[in-house]
Amino acid sequence: MEINRIKKQLFLIGMIAIAIIACRRDSGFYDHKALSQTVPVNTYDYLKSKKGIFDSMVLVIDRLGLQTTLRDSNITVFAVTNSSFRLAVTNLNNTRKLAGKPPLNLSGMDYIQLDTIMTQYIMRGKITTEDMKDQDGLLLRGVRYGYQMNARLKTNATSGFENGGPKTIIYSDTRWTQFQRSWASTSTSSTNIIATNGIVHTINQDHIAGFQDFVKRFTLNFPPKNYFKLYGGKLTVSAEAPDSPYPEKSYFMVDGSAITKFLNTNALVTKPFWINIEFPTAQICNAYAFTSANDNAGRNPRNWNLQGSQDMVTWEKLDQQINQDFPEFFMQKVYRFQNTKAYKYYRMNITENNGRATELQIAEYILGFKL
């Protein structure tokens, strides 16, 4: 009997001890914290090591020459999976098929448009989820053009946990507006991969690369705001077209119609051929566009550079392009460059055409600002 009594007492003590420990361990709530994973490589090598996941993004990074940026700079990458690019390219090619155009792939897509798309995913600075706690999120800037994105931490509802359950990032293209209803947003599937030079967050696989603009960028290419028309610029060229039965003077580069054109068969006798635009007051330009004309592709510009000046004496290089091609007539190509400085004079220097002796033709030239 005494032994049974002792057993009961020990059992009761044990149960009390278990209850006390359980109460200490579980107050009913936990502070749910995001986990971080540290990897001993830079962001580029991390993406490249994930075979079958980020191959498409690495292909685009390689095409754009961004390897050094991803290896050396302090950055945050919102990594886009193969699935996201596959969805975007499939949607694009379905649209092109309906328009009777051949399919495109990432290896052959327009460099300028891919460059614009990637500035949405590679941000300046090392930014973890801890930096995104504010209700309105955090404004981020792209590494190349300072394009503005927003990252906001979201806590998913989970019963019994303090501060909710798993945390994800709501990642948004702000489209340069403060009105959130106009933003295009997606979310992350994993966060806080800490590389040697930056942070990697992975975008959900159901995201379509380029947000809502991927198809439009490779089917419709919106020109910059035409500052020549908005502010009444003055146009001069280094070699005006000679008189002919056909109106092909320099003015027709800026008349707003691709049907007319500038043509000078001796434009490149003295190189470079330059196009000068003078504004009444200094303007900040960060984009321009060329439109090819109605015939002979050998006359199209191939190599050029753009300069800005305050006095027509000292010039600063703003952009340079080589080996450009316009495979279709009446084809417009838009070029963006990084610039926050206002210039009174902008000079486009064309150094080579596509092989037609000294001839040069341009249907439209637009200089201005592109969001």
Side-chain angles (χ1 to χ4, degrees):
M1 295 294 293
E2 183 65 22
I3 293 175
N4 289 336
R5 186 177 65 82
I6 293 173
K7 285 182 178 181
K8 288 180 180 179
Q9 289 177 345
L10 290 175
F11 176 77
L12 181 60
I13 292 171
M15 293 299 294
I16 294 173
I18 291 172
I20 293 173
I21 293 172
C23 289
R24 287 178 180 174
R25 282 183 178 176
D26 188 0
S27 60
F29 298 94
Y30 291 111
D31 181 7
H32 193 102
K33 296 182 179 179
L35 297 176
S36 297
Q37 177 184 349
T38 300
V39 293
V41 294
N42 58 61
T43 55
Y44 177 78
D45 288 342
Y46 172 76
L47 295 176
K48 200 164 184 177
S49 70
K50 298 298 179 179
K51 300 294 184 183
I53 301 177
F54 301 122
D55 310 81
S56 296
M57 188 172 191
V58 170
L59 171 64
V60 175
I61 288 168
D62 289 347
R63 277 201 64 196
L64 300 178
L66 286 166
Q67 302 96 320
T68 300
T69 300
L70 268 72
R71 286 186 176 121
D72 300 339
S73 302
N74 289 333
I75 57 171
T76 296
V77 178
F78 288 83
V80 183
T81 65
N82 293 344
S83 175
S84 293
F85 277 106
R86 188 180 304 112
L87 287 170
V89 174
T90 299
N91 290 346
L92 170 64
N93 286 329
N94 286 340
T95 302
R96 290 179 64 85
K97 184 177 181 180
L98 292 174
K101 295 184 177 181
L104 292 175
N105 56 45
L106 293 176
S107 298
M109 288 179 181
D110 185 78
Y111 175 99
I112 300 297
Q113 296 303 329
L114 283 178
D115 187 40
T116 303
I117 287 169
M118 288 311 296
T119 196
Q120 298 173 314
Y121 298 104
I122 305 174
M123 299 291 114
R124 301 171 182 172
K126 297 180 179 180
I127 304 160
T128 67
T129 52
E130 294 300 308
D131 301 312
M132 307 173 191
K133 287 184 174 180
D134 290 345
Q135 183 176 355
D136 294 331
L138 183 68
L139 287 179
L140 312 178
R141 298 284 182 177
V143 290
R144 275 195 168 168
Y145 307 108
Y147 191 78
Q148 185 173 285
M149 302 292 288
N150 181 275
R152 177 173 58 86
L153 192 62
K154 177 185 178 182
T155 303
N156 296 316
T158 302
S159 177
F161 289 88
E162 185 178 2
N163 296 327
K167 292 178 172 63
T168 58
I169 300 168
I170 303 302
Y171 189 56
S172 303
D173 178 358
T174 67
R175 299 179 173 180
W176 293 104
T177 176
Q178 62 180 331
F179 301 110
Q180 294 187 17
R181 64 178 178 271
S182 300
W183 293 3
S185 300
T186 187
S187 59
T188 55
S189 60
S190 68
T191 61
N192 294 340
I193 304 299
I194 302 175
T196 56
N197 68 310
I199 310 296
V200 178
H201 308 294
T202 303
I203 300 292
N204 268 334
Q205 293 192 28
D206 60 0
H207 168 67
I208 299 176
F211 289 82
Q212 298 174 1
D213 293 333
F214 190 92
V215 173
K216 287 189 288 187
R217 288 192 179 281
F218 293 99
T219 52
L220 298 174
N221 196 358
F222 298 101
K225 291 182 179 180
N226 191 337
Y227 276 15
F228 184 84
K229 288 197 169 185
L230 286 174
Y231 299 107
K234 178 183 177 182
L235 174 74
T236 54
V237 296
S238 59
E240 184 58 271
D243 293 330
S244 73
Y246 305 101
E248 295 174 334
K249 298 287 188 178
S250 61
Y251 165 78
F252 292 103
M253 281 191 288
V254 293
D255 68 345
S257 172
I259 303 302
T260 58
K261 69 180 180 182
F262 163 77
L263 169 62
N264 187 341
T265 57
N266 295 311
L268 293 170
V269 168
T270 302
K271 299 178 182 180
F273 169 84
W274 52 257
I275 306 166
N276 194 74
I277 291 181
E278 174 187 353
F279 292 111
T281 58
Q283 301 294 331
I284 299 174
C285 295
N286 72 355
Y288 59 92
F290 280 126
T291 302
S292 59
N294 63 321
D295 60 9
N296 205 311
R299 295 169 171 169
N300 293 334
R302 179 182 178 86
N303 300 339
W304 63 77
N305 64 78
L306 180 67
Q307 299 173 307
S309 176
Q310 308 295 353
D311 55 10
M312 290 278 286
V313 176
T314 303
W315 293 91
E316 299 177 46
K317 184 182 288 187
L318 302 175
D319 186 56
Q320 181 172 349
Q321 299 293 331
I322 60 172
N323 298 326
Q324 296 301 297
D325 184 31
F326 295 80
E328 300 175 12
F329 299 149
F330 306 113
M331 181 179 185
Q332 183 185 73
K333 283 194 171 184
V334 178
Y335 299 85
R336 297 176 59 180
F337 57 94
Q338 191 167 2
N339 178 44
T340 57
K341 187 174 180 180
Y343 295 94
K344 185 174 174 63
Y345 304 93
Y346 288 85
R347 176 169 289 181
M348 174 65 67
N349 299 296
I350 299 174
T351 56
E352 298 290 340
N353 64 12
N354 263 291
R356 181 79 174 187
T358 60
E359 300 177 13
L360 183 68
Q361 68 179 16
I362 299 169
E364 280 292 297
Y365 172 53
I366 297 175
L367 176 66
F369 192 84
K370 185 174 177 66
L371 296 178

